[in-house]
Amino acid sequence: MTARVIAVVGAGLAGLRTAEAVRRAGWTERIVVVGDEPRMPYNRPPLSKKILLDGTGSHDQVALRLRPSEHETEWRLGNRVVRSDLDARTLWLADGSSLVYDGLVAASGVTARRLPEAVGGVRRVLRTVDDAVALTTALTAGTRVVVIGAGFIGCEVASAAVARGCEVSVVALDAAPMTVPLGPMVGAELGRRHAGAGVRFHLGQGVTSVGEDLVVLTDGTRLGADLVVEAIGSRPNTQWLADNGLDLADGVVCDARLRMGGTPAAVAVGDVARFPNAHFDDVPRRVEHWQIAADTALHAARTLVADLDAGEPPAAFGTVPAFWSDQGVVSIRSFGMPGLADTSAVLEGDLTGEAAIGYSRDGALVGVVLLGLAKQAGAHLRRLTAELETARAGSRT
Ligand SMILES: Cc1cc2nc3c(=O)[nH]c(=O)nc-3n(C[C@H](O)[C@H](O)[C@H](O)COP(=O)(O)OP(=O)(O)OC[C@H]3O[C@@H](n4cnc5c(N)ncnc54)[C@H](O)[C@@H]3O)c2cc1C
């Protein structure tokens, strides 16, 4: 009898963790992972931290360790899935080949979002290890760096560039850095700290054009620039899933067990998945966190193997999202979904030093952000988890 196939599209963290987890869930047949990068899976968080700070780096330094069972997985790297037919359970690859599967995992992540081409100039992004290596060699002392975007990645790049002796400007439409995920109060404080370290902010501004050594802002300000880094968010890699009747408005919408559009034996994981989280509500959202890639992988693998082997699928997916960001002037940890909150207040410490900030929606705690206070992280996570579970139990009665 021919062995059945689980096809994984995307050889990143979520793809690797799902391949591992389907084995642990009892799958002994074939697993084929197709990845468009020509490399085995690697860790992205050190790209904007260690590699940019060190001035050097390589894939070997960030490669994810393979468990022995992963050597049985078939890796088709440097090849892209260009099209899929979920009814016919078939994928078509850029090299002209096709792959018929029994179970499918969408683990294709995101790509850096870009300003329109008409803006012009050379604008770099930071998503892959090659991006990081190219960027770090350009961060020499005195280099005038303009970072477009003041989210987590923009601020990590700015912080590393300042540490490397560059002159750094950050341009962003928002009134403060990291406002969308962390809110205006914490954003303003983080802006103050980065400015104290030497970052020049141009907030409430867009970019109209980029020239050879110049960035022009919407208010007419002209910034001298030797290096321009664009960090304005991401675009989910869902093109290959088009024409299957799925909701691909922002990632691929999943049901409570991470099945794409409720399709049996077809799941999505990591940055590309838009899923409801039972700890919060039934609204599907994408969450670009390292830990979410790992958690969705474990859950989706159990759904997939249950669907393929007529087993009992797991309960609805629920997790407390967790994220960290090291930015020189501050080490941030985020638990839950602070972006959902309508109010925030300092729970512990002092906002200008080390602090825990609580984020609430309709009076219920939905997130906690720590500036420093690493030793208290466990206690704050436990408190948030308990409050979310109590609210969840209450909503069931
Ligand atoms: C610079 C940087 C710093 C970060 N720092 C942090 C941090 O400090 N803390 C934190 O929690 N998270 C951080 N993250 C986010 C975290 O790395 C991601 O959440 C995680 O990598 C998601 O994994 P993934 O496997 O879903 O996606 P990815 O890692 O993007 O992997 C998806 C893979 O699929 C490939 N692919 C796409 N389309 C196709 C196709 N059609 N066919 C084949 N292959 C395809 C992609 O090229 C990619 O290799 C950071 C991310 C970046 C970029």
Side-chain angles (χ1 to χ4, degrees):
M1 209 172 70
T2 322
R4 292 177 299 169
V5 174
I6 288 179
V8 181
V9 180
L13 174 70
L16 172 62
R17 291 289 180 258
T18 314
E20 292 167 349
V22 293
R23 288 275 182 245
R24 281 206 301 280
W27 183 256
T28 53
E29 302 185 54
R30 290 175 66 201
I31 302 174
V32 179
V33 183
V34 185
D36 64 356
E37 290 185 69
R39 305 176 186 288
M40 289 299 280
Y42 59 89
N43 226 0
R44 294 187 201 271
L47 305 184
S48 52
K49 304 171 184 72
K50 188 164 172 34
I51 291 186
L52 290 197
L53 284 169
D54 286 357
T56 166
S58 67
H59 172 260
D60 284 354
Q61 285 173 0
V62 290
L64 290 161
R65 198 171 57 82
L66 292 193
R67 299 191 180 157
S69 62
E70 286 327 300
H71 296 289
E72 295 156 16
T73 295
E74 299 161 46
W75 297 89
R76 300 201 187 159
L77 301 177
N79 208 342
R80 167 176 282 267
V81 174
V82 290
R83 195 159 66 83
S84 59
D85 182 334
L86 267 54
D87 291 332
R89 299 199 174 198
T90 305
L91 303 174
W92 286 270
L93 278 59
D95 68 357
S97 63
S98 60
L99 176 62
V100 177
Y101 63 81
D102 298 276
L104 176 64
V105 181
S108 44
V110 297
T111 304
R113 197 158 77 78
R114 305 305 310 258
L115 288 171
E117 253 179 55
V119 168
V122 177
R123 290 168 274 126
R124 307 202 192 201
V125 295
L126 178 53
R127 182 73 202 169
T128 67
V129 67
D130 294 331
D131 295 336
V133 171
L135 204 52
T136 199
T137 47
L139 294 180
T140 49
T143 301
R144 295 168 303 167
V145 179
V146 175
V147 180
I148 307 172
F152 284 109
I153 291 181
C155 288
E156 288 184 358
V157 171
S159 154
V162 163
R164 299 274 305 278
C166 302
E167 286 178 29
V168 182
S169 302
V170 173
V171 182
L173 291 172
D174 296 323
M178 294 167 277
T179 316
V180 176
L182 303 182
M185 176 178 76
V186 173
E189 167 58 18
L190 296 177
R192 190 190 64 78
R193 295 189 195 191
H194 280 294
V199 175
R200 284 181 222 131
F201 283 99
H202 298 267
L203 298 167
Q205 295 298 321
V207 168
T208 54
S209 67
V210 176
E212 206 171 302
D213 57 0
L214 194 69
V215 175
V216 182
L217 310 190
T218 41
D219 69 352
T221 302
R222 297 159 78 84
L223 302 174
D226 305 307
L227 179 70
V228 180
V229 184
E230 207 169 88
I232 57 166
S234 59
R235 199 170 45 78
N237 294 320
T238 51
Q239 303 87 331
W240 64 277
L241 282 167
D243 303 324
N244 282 294
L246 297 168
D247 180 347
L248 303 176
D250 174 31
V252 54
V253 171
C254 301
D255 71 10
R257 285 163 189 81
L258 302 174
R259 296 184 189 97
M260 290 189 264
T263 314
V267 294
V269 292
D271 284 4
V272 77
R274 182 147 69 98
F275 56 88
N277 184 336
H279 276 302
F280 295 87
D281 48 36
D282 55 8
V283 179
R285 297 185 185 87
R286 284 193 319 106
V287 185
E288 292 183 25
H289 293 3
W290 191 98
Q291 162 257 3
I292 289 292
D295 285 4
T296 51
L298 275 182
H299 208 87
R302 289 168 55 211
T303 298
L304 189 56
V305 173
D307 283 355
L308 288 167
D309 288 345
E312 186 63 34
F317 180 65
T319 192
V320 180
F323 180 90
W324 76 97
S325 177
D326 295 322
Q327 301 181 10
V329 291
V330 64
S331 172
I332 304 169
R333 274 162 204 256
S334 165
F335 300 124
M337 306 274 284
L340 298 183
D342 43 48
T343 55
S344 61
V346 175
L347 299 175
E348 180 185 346
D350 170 5
L351 191 60
T352 60
E354 294 198 79
I357 300 98
Y359 291 75
S360 303
R361 177 174 63 173
D362 300 329
L365 194 66
V366 289
V368 175
V369 168
L370 302 182
L371 308 181
L373 289 186
K375 287 194 180 133
Q376 278 86 308
H380 283 288
L381 176 58
R382 281 192 293 280
R383 173 185 164 184
L384 173 65
T385 307
E387 292 204 19
L388 289 170
E389 279 170 359
T390 306
R392 185 177 170 184
S395 70
R396 276 199 228 106
T397 53

